[in-house]
């Protein structure tokens, strides 16, 4: 039996299993990641987070991300807040630098306990999204059923943002996977549907690449605010309301996007990795 401790954390309901590989080698197969992410046979998560020793000087930890389908993800804003909070507790101070495949993400703890993260620059060129053909990413030539004319933004990962009159009218389980795998997105894409409530407030629902419907998507909220500002529908700072709560997003003058929101530790436990080849089982767990 290979018993490994884990944390279950979430940011506004976007949930994670966190494994610490800084002191032991943890190399899970795609099948093991899928089993661990299964909410019936494993622990269940939107993303699996593996903490590794940092590569870049000045970083506190390397955060590797995998989706519930076993594929690797480049960035996750909600996971970044959770891991930043954990590292700040380890360091006993209010600052942390999280290294990801998408770059270094500096974070700070605010007085109300929320975590603010510099998610890096919003990349807007068609090749940065990426898409299959050169285009103006302010109006991408993608349409399906009742939605069309998305804005393309890459904030560590690729996003296509559709503005709609009523997000609750969108049949997300049907249209989400079709758009994620649309031929215009050769590496697939995260799909956001956004309803503007005011120049400083918008409602977003998301279909995440490799994870499906989630209650929140931090990088998606960042992409949403940037897309709205580019379209002249909002200012450069606002509230993005997701199914799990609210994030504050600001598109800074230097082109970076700052995300602020809460984080939570749900419980700690131990999982038998050997059992993930079949039906996974808890060894122990406590809140």
């Amino acid at each position: 039996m290979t018993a490994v401790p884990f944390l279950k954390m979430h940011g506004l309901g976007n949930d994670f299993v966190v494994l610490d590989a800084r002191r032991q080698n943890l190399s899970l197969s795609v099948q093991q990641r899928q089993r661990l992410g299964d909410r019936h046979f494993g622990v269940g998560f939107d993303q699996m987070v593996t903490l590794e020793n940092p590569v870049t000087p000045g970083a506190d930890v390397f955060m590797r991300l995998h989706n519930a389908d076993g594929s690797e993800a480049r960035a996750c804003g909600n996971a970044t807040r959770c891991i930043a909070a954990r590292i700040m507790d380890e360091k006993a101070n209010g600052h942390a630098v999280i290294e990801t495949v998408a770059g270094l993400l500096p974070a700070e703890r605010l007085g109300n306990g929320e975590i603010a993260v510099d998610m890096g620059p919003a990349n807007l060129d068609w090749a940065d999204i990426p898409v299959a053909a050169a285009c103006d990413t302010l109006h991408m030539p993608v349409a399906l059923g009742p939605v069309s004319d998305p804005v393309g933004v890459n904030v560590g990962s690729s996003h296509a943002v559709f503005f709609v009159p009523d997000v609750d009218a969108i049949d997300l389980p049907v249209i989400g996977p079709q758009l994620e795998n649309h031929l215009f997105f050769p590496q697939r894409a995260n799909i956001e549907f956004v309803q503007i409530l005011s120049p400083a407030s918008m409602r977003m629902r998301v279909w995440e690449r490799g994870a499906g419907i989630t209650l929140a998507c931090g990088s998606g909220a960042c992409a949403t605010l940037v897309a709205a500002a580019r379209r002249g529908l909002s200012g450069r700072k606002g509230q993005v309301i997701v199914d799990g709560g609210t994030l504050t997003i600001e598109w800074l003058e230097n082109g970076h996007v700052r995300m602020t929101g809460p984080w939570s530790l749900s419980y700690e436990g131990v999982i038998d990795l050997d059992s993930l080849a079949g039906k996974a089982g808890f060894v122990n767990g406590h809140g």
Side-chain angles (χ1 to χ4, degrees), residues 69-286:
D69 69 356
S71 63
E72 187 165 4
R74 291 181 56 82
C76 177
N78 291 314
T80 302
R81 293 199 314 280
C82 290
I83 299 310
R86 191 73 179 179
I87 297 302
M88 290 174 195
D89 288 344
E90 290 182 1
K91 295 173 59 182
N93 70 33
H95 295 83
V97 177
I98 311 302
E99 185 175 11
T100 72
V101 294
L104 298 181
L105 307 179
E108 64 174 322
R109 194 194 307 271
L110 304 182
N112 61 0
E114 292 192 335
I115 301 293
V117 180
D118 182 339
M119 292 291 291
N123 297 298
L124 307 176
D125 188 78
W126 69 272
D128 294 327
I129 306 304
V131 295
C135 71
D136 177 3
T137 61
L138 189 57
H139 297 280
M140 296 195 299
V142 176
L144 182 65
V147 301
S148 63
D149 190 32
V151 181
V153 185
N154 188 309
V155 184
S157 58
S158 56
H159 297 269
V161 181
F162 292 83
F163 292 97
V164 298
D166 180 4
V167 292
D168 293 316
I170 299 297
D171 193 350
L172 198 54
V174 172
I175 199 170
Q178 295 181 64
L179 289 168
E180 174 195 354
N181 294 284
H182 195 285
L183 292 176
F184 199 64
F185 306 119
Q187 297 179 18
R188 301 187 294 167
N190 299 279
I191 309 298
E192 285 79 30
F193 300 99
V194 180
Q195 178 181 346
I196 299 297
L197 305 177
S198 77
S201 179
M202 58 206 75
R203 169 95 164 85
M204 180 194 91
R205 297 189 70 207
V206 61
W207 178 274
E208 285 199 54
R209 175 177 58 185
I213 297 173
T214 60
L215 295 179
C217 177
S219 63
C222 294
T224 288
L225 186 282
V226 170
R230 291 182 69 198
R231 283 273 177 95
L233 302 173
S234 76
R236 295 179 71 97
K237 182 176 182 178
Q239 307 290 316
V240 179
I241 303 166
V242 296
D243 287 344
T246 301
L247 292 167
T248 300
I249 309 296
E250 183 175 7
W251 190 14
L252 304 173
E253 292 300 326
N254 65 1
H256 285 222
V257 186
R258 180 179 169 92
M259 171 199 61
T260 303
W263 64 279
S264 295
L265 171 64
S266 299
Y267 58 87
E268 303 177 40
V270 178
I271 190 76
D272 176 15
L273 293 186
D274 295 336
S275 70
L276 296 179
K279 292 184 179 180
F282 279 106
V283 176
N284 188 23
H286 60 273

Side-chain angles (χ1 to χ4, degrees), residues 15-72:
D15 66 331
F16 318 103
V17 164
V18 182
L19 303 176
D20 195 337
R22 289 175 290 177
R23 298 176 183 86
Q24 62 176 324
N25 181 38
L26 292 176
S27 181
L28 276 66
S29 67
V30 171
Q31 182 189 34
Q32 285 179 310
R33 293 194 291 266
Q34 291 172 340
R35 280 285 182 170
L36 185 59
D38 191 295
R39 298 186 187 277
H40 300 285
F41 295 125
V43 179
F45 58 73
D46 293 325
Q47 279 85 31
M48 184 185 83
V49 180
T50 305
L51 304 183
E52 302 175 3
N53 292 313
V55 176
T56 304
D60 293 303
V61 70
F62 188 97
M63 180 181 74
R64 192 172 301 279
L65 298 160
H66 288 92
N67 295 312
D69 69 356
S71 63
E72 187 165 4

